[in-house]
Amino acid sequence: LSSLTDEARIALDNVYEYATSLGAPPLRLGVTGLARAGKTVFITALVHNLVHGGRLPLFEPWKSRRLIGAELKPQRHDDVPTFDYRGHVRALVGDRVWPESTRMISEMRLSIAYESATFLGRRLGRGRLDLDIVDYPGEWLLDLPLLAKDYRTFARETVARARMPARAEIAGPWLAHLATTDPAGPADEGVAAEAHGLFTGYLAAARGDGHALSMVPPGRFLMPGDLAGSPAITFAPLDLPAEGEAPRDSLWALMERRYEAYKDVVVRPFFRTHFARLDRQVVLVDVLAALNGGTAAVADLEAALAEILACFRPGRSSWLSGVLTRRIDRILFAATKADHLHHVSHDRLEAILRRLVEAASRRAAFAGAEVDVRAVAAVRATREATVRRGGESLPCILGVPRAGETLDGSTYTGDEEIALFPGDLPADPEVLFADLHAEIRRSRAGNPDVEAAPEVAGTADPTADADLDGTGLSTRSLVPDMRFLRFRPPQIERTAEGVTLSLPHIRLDRALDFLIGDRLA
Ligand code: GDP
């Protein structure tokens, strides 16, 4: 009886929802990106601007004065943690520190009131759009390809990738442990835990400063959410033979069982309950960190983008297509932290990401949803100024570096504003990609394990084939003349009445227009 009542309640709830929202169902917007890409800051700034009447001139409903306001509402699902919007605003606006980053899935609901753009719509009264924002780690999304792989395939691919020149050094301690571990040996819990710890340490180093690699599955190893320490994630790849079965009660059998459990109890439920219900998606990318991380990082980022695009367009034979009742119809790729650059470079940053997304979508044979690419700063921490030095005028940015940041021998205290000439991105992204491709070719030529780069139909883009994994790309920065500092969040002004103004941003309004503008028509 009780379940019947529950179902009745859900049905009524739905009826109520549709009736009170002028027939418009809620829009579920997924926000993802790898750790530190800027998800928390993006969601907080987006909501803050809508709630506090921020300046959004490139958001059509704002420009045509149809946006009435927005308010927080209780979220839809009681069993998903709530995005801590208020806490994050306190950090950003109150303490001027960056909020705590995403560590697991969370959601929130924003109810947006607007005036319809059409005569008929206006006759029906005010419109209301319930926007459900779902924040989740990009690492989890990159787990999807594991569903199609058995343990042997996963282990062999992962070990081969770790032995690549760009990774072998950081993978050293784990590879050394691997060499002393016999897969046919006893299923020893201590050995499994140690292998897991060393392997996870390698993944963390690959993501870390100076490497900025993107392909680091399994996703829960770096972002365990509430699974930290549970057996389903206490496994690691072993150095397996190409043939043969795992002996009974061996370490191999233990790892294989846990790998399968990981897919069953972690990966599949995430896609079924969360991912499959999204209508729109924004993927945030720290392009500057990848450029700074060098050719290996950029090539890896492109591979990750291809995997992500493939998730949004599962083939008919894929398990996912069966559960995807809704289809994501718009995907925005946004390069974050554009406020680290002078505005002349904003379009250039956008062009570089567009180039990567295009290459990735060719590789994933992606078509189906509308895709857009933008460079944004969800929170603009810098201002611009021109500094004259020796008769030359340099386009600079002004901001307060975070306490402890260092550059050119100076260490900052966290309360002085400085002018920084960040340098420019190349005007033509092709210059940068030519550099990348030249290195890929050089590296291929010197690596006997890799076949000659096959020409990919219709493109002369060497990153467009799937064989990058054998190449020895370097961590030499692709933008060596650029200078990056991390700044504190900006001082938010208050009006004479003490009202807090909204957070300043760069092009957040354009992002918003693409993501929800049409639903406020
Ligand atoms: P998450 O791991 O994807 O949730 O990433 P966060 O949103 O926590 O962002 C990670 C860090 O990137 C922050 O702590 C900031 O230092 C920086 N960051 C993110 N967005 C911006 C931005 O718009 N401007 C600037 N200057 N820094 C940003």
Side-chain angles (χ1 to χ4, degrees), residues 494-509:
R494 286 171 192 266
T495 62
E497 296 80 41
V499 178
T500 315
L501 298 181
S502 60
L503 288 158
H505 63 84
I506 296 171
R507 299 184 179 179
L508 188 61
D509 44 357

Side-chain angles (χ1 to χ4, degrees), residues 33-42 98-102 135 223 284 286 336-340 376-382 402 486-487:
L34 295 176
R36 323 269 327 140
K39 299 177 288 295
T40 310
V41 174
F42 181 88
W98 297 102
E100 221 169 282
S101 300
T102 300
D135 175 25
M223 282 285 159
L284 302 176
D286 193 341
T336 53
K337 312 182 197 179
D339 58 328
H340 283 109
V376 303
V379 171
R380 174 178 202 152
T382 63
R402 299 200 319 188
R486 286 181 296 178
F487 295 97

